[in-house]
Amino acid sequence: MSKRVFALIACAVLLCSSLVLAGPTKQKQEKPWTEWTQKEAEKVLSSSPWAQTQVDTDTSEMFFSPTSDPNRVRSTANDGSRLEGGARNQAVNVKFIVRFFSARPVRRALVRMMELKQKPDAQMTERLHAFADLKTNESIILTLSVETTDQRYAGIAMQALNSATTATLKNETFLERDGKRVFLHEYIPPGKDGFGARFIFLRFVDEQPFIKDKIGEVRFSTKYPGGLKVDRRFKVTEMTLDGELEY
């Protein structure tokens, strides 16, 4: 092989290498949140560093059994509910979605969903963007939402969320990291905005941020009167925005 041909091949290899290296670097540039698709926004709201989903499954009506009048001798344990709500004969899933509402990515995703679905005017869009980009400095706010295709289960869950108060939840609701806990400061039931129930915690404990960069994870746990319990863990090292911890 001549020196000329060898030199051309070497140049081609170097050129290809530079293109391969340049490609991923360019792709790593983050997409502006104002350009997120509905699918991208939904992922931030359901499965991301700031949002986790707990799925509870009820299999009590998964297998077929004839629905009968519970006043008769031959009846099953769930006949009363079957007569009232209808037999389903399948497992029922209820999703409880916990989100760090005080984190800007969550509010940006919520606003982006509103933009895609409702097409707000310019003035409303400006207000929504200000809300999405507002940085929270005093509180840690989490929200809890319920999703299920079964209206009976949705009604039971929403009744629990709507009837609870700060007093009934404060001893059973906390954030935990490194074995330390900060308990609920204030609870706000779900409103018409569709954001879900709000759990407000103090951001600073003993004049120090409760959530810090070097901790491994933070756990959210709440238990409602009646037994409804939600427990999720978040990896703090992944909760970053523009290189800084965001929650």
Side-chain angles (χ1 to χ4, degrees), residues 171-212:
N171 293 327
E172 299 284 353
T173 303
F174 56 85
L175 292 177
E176 182 180 61
R177 54 89 172 165
D178 296 336
K180 299 179 181 179
R181 293 179 177 180
V182 57
F183 285 87
L184 180 69
H185 180 69
E186 183 180 0
Y187 175 78
I188 302 175
K192 296 181 179 180
D193 53 27
F195 295 153
R198 289 178 175 83
F199 300 82
I200 303 175
F201 300 88
L202 297 179
R203 184 172 287 256
F204 292 87
V205 177
D206 297 328
E207 300 183 354
Q208 295 293 324
F210 183 74
I211 300 178
K212 303 178 182 179

Side-chain angles (χ1 to χ4, degrees), residues 12-67:
V13 171
L14 290 173
L15 180 60
C16 290
S17 299
S18 64
L19 289 175
V20 170
L21 291 173
T25 302
K26 188 174 183 180
Q27 291 175 0
K28 284 183 179 179
Q29 294 178 355
E30 292 188 5
K31 187 177 184 180
W33 71 268
T34 52
E35 298 177 8
W36 286 348
T37 63
Q38 180 173 331
K39 185 176 181 180
E40 289 169 333
E42 287 176 343
K43 183 171 178 60
V44 173
L45 294 174
S46 60
S47 179
S48 72
W50 300 276
Q52 296 291 326
T53 300
Q54 173 179 304
V55 181
D56 290 356
T57 303
D58 184 350
T59 60
S60 63
E61 297 185 7
M62 187 173 180
F63 303 101
F64 174 79
S65 64
T67 301

Side-chain angles (χ1 to χ4, degrees), residues 93-199:
N93 290 329
V94 184
K95 294 181 179 180
F96 297 96
I97 307 172
V98 181
R99 302 178 179 123
F100 272 83
F101 188 71
S102 48
R104 283 173 290 175
V106 167
R107 281 178 281 125
R108 288 173 176 177
L110 289 168
V111 167
R112 184 60 181 152
M113 291 290 289
M114 294 173 67
E115 288 181 325
L116 292 171
K117 292 183 177 181
Q118 302 177 16
K119 309 293 183 183
D121 58 32
Q123 185 176 10
M124 179 57 70
T125 297
E126 184 178 356
R127 293 179 179 177
L128 289 172
H129 282 209
F131 162 74
D133 289 329
L134 181 66
K135 191 168 183 177
T136 307
N137 295 317
E138 296 182 359
S139 303
I140 304 173
I141 306 173
L142 287 86
T143 58
L144 177 62
S145 300
V146 180
E147 291 184 4
T148 180
T149 56
D150 191 296
Q151 293 304 311
R152 184 182 65 177
Y153 284 82
I156 294 172
M158 290 307 298
Q159 182 179 3
L161 268 62
N162 285 317
S163 61
T165 64
T166 303
T168 60
L169 292 177
K170 64 180 181 179
N171 293 327
E172 299 284 353
T173 303
F174 56 85
L175 292 177
E176 182 180 61
R177 54 89 172 165
D178 296 336
K180 299 179 181 179
R181 293 179 177 180
V182 57
F183 285 87
L184 180 69
H185 180 69
E186 183 180 0
Y187 175 78
I188 302 175
K192 296 181 179 180
D193 53 27
F195 295 153
R198 289 178 175 83
F199 300 82

